[in-house]
Amino acid sequence: MHIAIVGNGITGVTASRVVRRRHPDWRITVISDEAPTHYARTAWMYVYMGHLTREHTQPYAEHFWTDNRIERVHDRVTHLDARGKTLRLQKGGPLAWDRLLLATGSIPAFYGWPGQDLAGIQGLYHLQDLDRMEREAGSAKRAVVVGGGLIGVEMAEMLRTRGTHVSFLIREGRYMAHAMPKRESRLLEHEIARHHVDLHLRTEPVTFQGKDRVQSVRTSTDVTLMADWVGIATGVRPNIDWLKDAGIDTARGILVDRQMRTSAPDVFAAGDCAEAREPLAGRAAIEPLWYTGRIQGATAGMGLAGSPTPYAPGVFFNSAKFFDIEWQVVGRIAPEPSPEIVDAYTEDETPHGPRLIRLQADTASGALLGVHALGIRLRQSVISDWIARGVSLDDALRDLPLASFDPEFSRAILVPDLSRQSQRIANLG
Amino acid sequence: MSDIPIYNADADRSLGLFDNPAWRAKSLEKAGLALVALAVVATVVALASDLGRQRPGLFAWLVFGGFGVGGVVFALGGLRRASGVRNDGKMFSSNQARGAVGWISGLVLTGLYVVLYFAPEALAGLIPLGDPLSRLLRDQPATVANGGQWFLYSTFYTLAVGAMGVRALVRYRHSRYHVVRTLSVVFFQTILAFALPYLLMRLQQPELFLHYTWPLDYDLFFPWKMEELRASGQLGVAMLIWGAILIAVVTPILTFYFGKRWYCSWVCGCGGLAETAGDPYRHLSDTSLGAWKVERWMVHGVLAAIVVGTAVLWVAALLDVGWLDAVAGTFSWLYGLIIGSIFAGVVGVGFYPLMGSRVWCRFGCPMAAVLGLQQRFFSRFRITTNGGQCISCGNCSAYCEMGIDVRWYAQRGQNIVRASCVGCGICSTVCPRGVLKLENGPRGDRATAAPLGAPALISELSILDGAMD
Ligand SMILES: Cc1cc2nc3c(=O)[nH]c(=O)nc-3n(C[C@H](O)[C@H](O)[C@H](O)COP(=O)(O)OP(=O)(O)OC[C@H]3O[C@@H](n4cnc5c(N)ncnc54)[C@H](O)[C@@H]3O)c2cc1C
Ligand code: SF4
Ligand code: SF4
């Protein structure tokens, strides 16, 4: 049996490991046009900032691939023949497979702005983008970053370590408005300003101007910002353009069922490039996250190995770091107040930054829905267990110290006081 | 996107001497560096001329004051940087990423150790600088004849731990764990390893290191050493008893509850230097599987050598077999030379800028070997991973001074239970996703711990992975 995997990101690599574990003798080939081996793109920012080298961002050392006999091919797949079960490669000859996984990830989404193809304007996704950023942003005096997602703030932090002045354009009226309540937005806006980044809320680019290189950005607020370099971080979209006439059902991404099967027999898709036909409750159809890539990759790996298994990612969680503030969410936190949600929140200020903790529960049942923390580490397993079991807000508040994951000698975890809950609801708005 | 894009594995290695793109000295840092440079010049002058001998007071101020005050001023300059993880520009630094400055520092340090151990006469111009302090503390002048070079060395060592300790305190001020731990190593070095032993010497008592025992103090239980201590009076006997209690009772108990960190990154002098002066170089420790294999053979080999060696010495002493005596003498001399001098000193510290701050602790220290075995098999200590949060970024592995590939475990949701972990806690601090926590709770399933309540597939994966190591 020959398993071919297109994409050597977290999704493809996890799938290959699951297959190898089940079938010591099957042939496994992983193909990628990005780099000969697997890198953690989540760590690109640390390479630019000089915390890490590129080698540090390889999760597996060389011996891993030879020990597990996973063949790596550095080439681009240009065509898929799902019926004939072959792949056409750009450099190498055709590759026949018995089961196939498409794990091609994402590409940065651009929105057709005039001038967006000028030199000095780029997204940050692939290793080549990091190379380019190193060449072109390294000496920039002034930069504009468009889009306030997680990659946008990472770009801003990267640029600041090289002394580049950064204007940060965000469409919404507050930072992270789609994911966080207002108070969290305010704290993060403050943190961004503290690191000398000019935050422009309610601002979008209209045109990019310059001769061959970008020189300035015209914004929707009728301001012209000078820029030697522009980072686009307005989100990503599935990297599937090359699949257009492969005869596989696609929408925004490659459509898959819960077992990660596509419309073609023996062809699976997972990770950033996959779109669930029927998304799980509370989860997006496309989940461009590292850990969901890992779990989807493992799920697809089970299918490739001949034991199809449904995708079961458990309670949602995510985490990130905004300059020096660590953020963590387990479960779901509503960004806007609503009568259906009871909200308990508290915060304080330490010499090393703010701390905030917020719990939300369902008004009708009282069951815990989600926990949010800034500057505090939560024990993910404990909280996802509470949410999965639907424990009450009161119990969660009582046991909150058990959920602290802060290092020894840290300040005690903050616990919201329910008796002053009305004020806290007011705070949310 | 028509061609396969070129990828460039070395794009960002600039390593320019003074033009680090992501780290620029603040004014106070520059002032501190200037003082240190002055101290370097004064040291060279004293070494090369008679001036130090003629003006020991002045030169003592220039050298010790320059290094000490300069170091502290440099460290305080760091307060101008926001608190938090600040590793900006490390991989571009000529000093910290094995560039020209790193190589030169490594060679100079190594050279100094070679001179100190094997040609102390060459330090004749420098030794008198220790005189004022030596008279004050131990009521003796500082000369080669009375170990003046060791006094000089201890002074430099303590100064380095103190000044660079301030740097560590500033750098990690956002973490109380590091603040407490750093204060602890600075205290043990300045008081228990430096001031107290010399004060005792002044009172005509044997040198006493309360926190230092067999097998690090490798000859403590050698027959002649025991004889010597017994003969030196009550304090000598007390030291022997305390040494035995320390290794046989205190060590296993503390290691059971807290892991080997109670010693290696809270108390020990070698650890103290590594955590302070060595901190800028911690990421240079080799994380490869090969290094781990070598490490296990070497460190346990040294422990075996000292156990067997001590036994042979006793047999020789008790049976009074002539030739055994000669073997025993040779062993003791060789061990002192190879392990005590070359390994612990020359390589252990001299190679900081080339192989990281814990070369000795990883590959050579028999105390670490004992503590490591206890930690691996009987202790409660482990580093817990936080569910499925790891993004495999590699910061933890890169900054582990013991060269542990922390990510290998973290990305599969496994706890980290490794003999060599000194519990410095840096992996936890640099992790941008809060994945790691040093814990001492009840043992439970500390070695395997699949994340509680985590989705079935993650737990299954971590089990799968265990089988693929
Ligand atoms: C800068 C940055 C920071 C991030 N930080 C976080 C974070 O903190 N937390 C988080 O959860 N997520 C983060 N993400 C998102 C996360 O990295 C992605 O969700 C994840 O990498 C997706 O993995 P994947 O394996 O599905 O796809 P990818 O990692 O994109 O891998 C797909 C691979 O397939 C290759 N490929 C595509 N088409 C072809 C073809 N036709 N032929 C050959 N090869 C092909 C691509 O070049 C690529 O190498 C971040 C992403 C970026 C860019
Ligand atoms: S594993 Fe972590 S705590 Fe242990 S030595 Fe390495 S960095 Fe320090
Ligand atoms: S530093 Fe944290 S997120 Fe990065 S690899 Fe280590 S454990 Fe994972």
Side-chain angles (χ1 to χ4, degrees), chain B residues 282 381 383 396 399-402 404 406 416 420-428 438:
Chain B
R282 54 169 47 252
F381 173 75
I383 301 176
C396 52
Y399 286 93
C400 174
E401 58 189 347
M402 296 306 283
I404 297 173
V406 184
I416 295 123
S420 62
C421 171
V422 292
C424 65
I426 293 288
C427 52
S428 163
L438 281 59

Side-chain angles (χ1 to χ4, degrees), chain A residues 243-288:
Chain A
L243 274 173
K244 280 286 176 272
D245 34 48
I248 289 188
D249 289 358
T250 59
R252 277 186 301 147
I254 305 167
L255 289 169
V256 293
D257 64 9
R258 264 198 86 182
Q259 278 79 21
M260 298 291 154
R261 289 181 295 219
T262 67
S263 59
D266 291 324
V267 180
F268 297 75
D272 277 25
C273 68
E275 177 174 353
R277 285 180 192 274
E278 289 161 25
L280 294 172
R283 285 193 173 259
I286 301 178
E287 295 183 282

Side-chain angles (χ1 to χ4, degrees), chain A residues 10 14 17-18 20-22 33-36 39-40 42-43 46-60 63-64 67-68 70 74-76 90-91 107 126-128 130-131 134 154 157 161-163 194-195 239 290-291 294-295 298-299 302 309-315 317-321 324 326 328-330 351-352 377-382 384-385 404-411, chain B residues 1-13 20-24 82-92 173-178 180-181 258 261 266 283 287-289 381 384-399 405 407-408 410-412 427-440 451-458 460-461 463-465 467-469:
Chain A
I10 179 68
T14 307
R17 290 160 57 211
V18 171
R20 174 53 75 235
R21 173 66 187 135
R22 305 259 146 178
D33 59 358
E34 182 176 7
Y39 284 88
T42 47
Y46 301 107
V47 176
Y48 187 85
M49 300 199 301
H51 296 205
L52 300 175
T53 62
R54 283 166 201 232
E55 300 86 88
H56 285 131
T57 69
Q58 293 174 10
Y60 298 100
H63 67 85
F64 171 87
D67 290 355
N68 289 297
I70 295 171
H74 187 201
D75 205 337
R76 170 169 295 160
Q90 188 171 311
K91 278 189 306 185
I107 49 173
H126 292 104
L127 199 44
Q128 288 74 19
L130 179 65
D131 276 351
E134 189 65 49
E154 287 185 3
E157 184 174 354
T161 60
R162 304 284 182 99
R194 192 172 75 93
H195 287 273
N239 183 3
W290 187 262
Y291 86 88
R294 189 172 57 221
I295 301 176
T299 308
M302 297 297 283
T309 308
Y311 175 53
V315 174
F317 65 89
N318 200 4
S319 52
K321 197 169 176 185
D324 291 321
E326 290 177 12
Q328 210 183 329
V329 60
V330 185
H352 307 291
R377 292 178 175 180
L378 300 172
R379 203 179 284 270
Q380 183 211 324
S381 56
V382 170
S384 49
D385 182 49
S404 166
F405 202 69
D406 277 334
E408 291 152 297
F409 305 123
S410 296
R411 284 158 223 274
Chain B
M1 295 242 285
S2 60
D3 283 317
I4 296 172
I6 303 158
Y7 98 105
N8 183 352
D10 289 315
D12 354 66
R13 296 225 158 191
N20 189 324
W23 190 88
R24 273 174 199 80
S83 58
V85 177
R86 288 271 137 4
N87 287 324
D88 301 344
K90 278 215 169 187
M91 300 301 154
F92 316 136
R173 62 191 184 278
H174 61 292
S175 159
R176 290 192 182 172
Y177 182 70
H178 295 304
V180 177
R181 176 177 77 87
F258 305 112
R261 58 185 170 148
W266 286 71
H283 56 282
T287 315
S288 69
L289 201 59
F381 173 75
T384 311
T385 50
N386 200 4
Q389 308 257 11
C390 175
I391 54 168
S392 296
C393 69
N395 275 292
C396 52
S397 298
Y399 286 93
D405 192 354
R407 166 175 58 194
W408 179 264
Q411 66 192 358
R412 57 198 59 190
C427 52
S428 163
T429 303
V430 298
C431 173
R433 295 294 178 272
V435 173
L436 305 162
K437 178 167 159 61
L438 281 59
E439 296 200 55
N440 311 309
L452 194 153
L457 256 159
I458 296 194
E460 177 169 17
L461 259 183
I463 297 160
L464 290 176
D465 292 336
M468 280 179 69
D469 286 355

Side-chain angles (χ1 to χ4, degrees), chain A residues 195-216:
Chain A
H195 287 273
H196 309 289
V197 171
D198 275 345
L199 186 62
H200 298 253
L201 296 171
R202 285 194 195 82
T203 309
E204 289 178 82
V206 177
T207 49
F208 298 106
Q209 296 154 340
K211 284 215 177 63
D212 4 82
R213 270 196 71 83
V214 66
Q215 283 172 340
S216 64

Side-chain angles (χ1 to χ4, degrees), chain A residues 129-205:
Chain A
D129 300 326
L130 179 65
D131 276 351
R132 222 178 121 189
M133 197 166 164
E134 189 65 49
R135 276 195 316 271
E136 299 183 5
S139 55
K141 293 262 178 302
R142 307 182 66 87
V144 169
V145 174
V146 183
L150 302 179
I151 297 180
V153 74
E154 287 185 3
M155 278 183 172
E157 184 174 354
M158 292 159 78
L159 292 160
R160 289 303 300 141
T161 60
R162 304 284 182 99
T164 306
H165 178 277
V166 180
S167 303
F168 194 11
L169 313 191
I170 287 162
R171 188 177 51 194
E172 292 76 21
R174 60 182 175 86
Y175 188 63
M176 282 275 147
H178 61 285
M180 297 183 190
K182 193 166 170 186
R183 184 62 196 153
E184 281 85 328
S185 294
R186 292 286 172 257
L187 292 174
L188 295 180
E189 287 162 14
H190 186 261
E191 176 73 0
I192 290 167
R194 192 172 75 93
H195 287 273
H196 309 289
V197 171
D198 275 345
L199 186 62
H200 298 253
L201 296 171
R202 285 194 195 82
T203 309
E204 289 178 82

Side-chain angles (χ1 to χ4, degrees), chain B residues 8 34 44 46 61 84 90 99 105 151-152 158 185 192 215 218 366 398 401 446 454:
Chain B
N8 183 352
V44 173
W61 275 111
K90 278 215 169 187
S105 323
F151 185 79
L152 188 75
T158 307
V185 288
L192 288 201
Y218 67 94
E401 58 189 347
R446 69 171 193 143

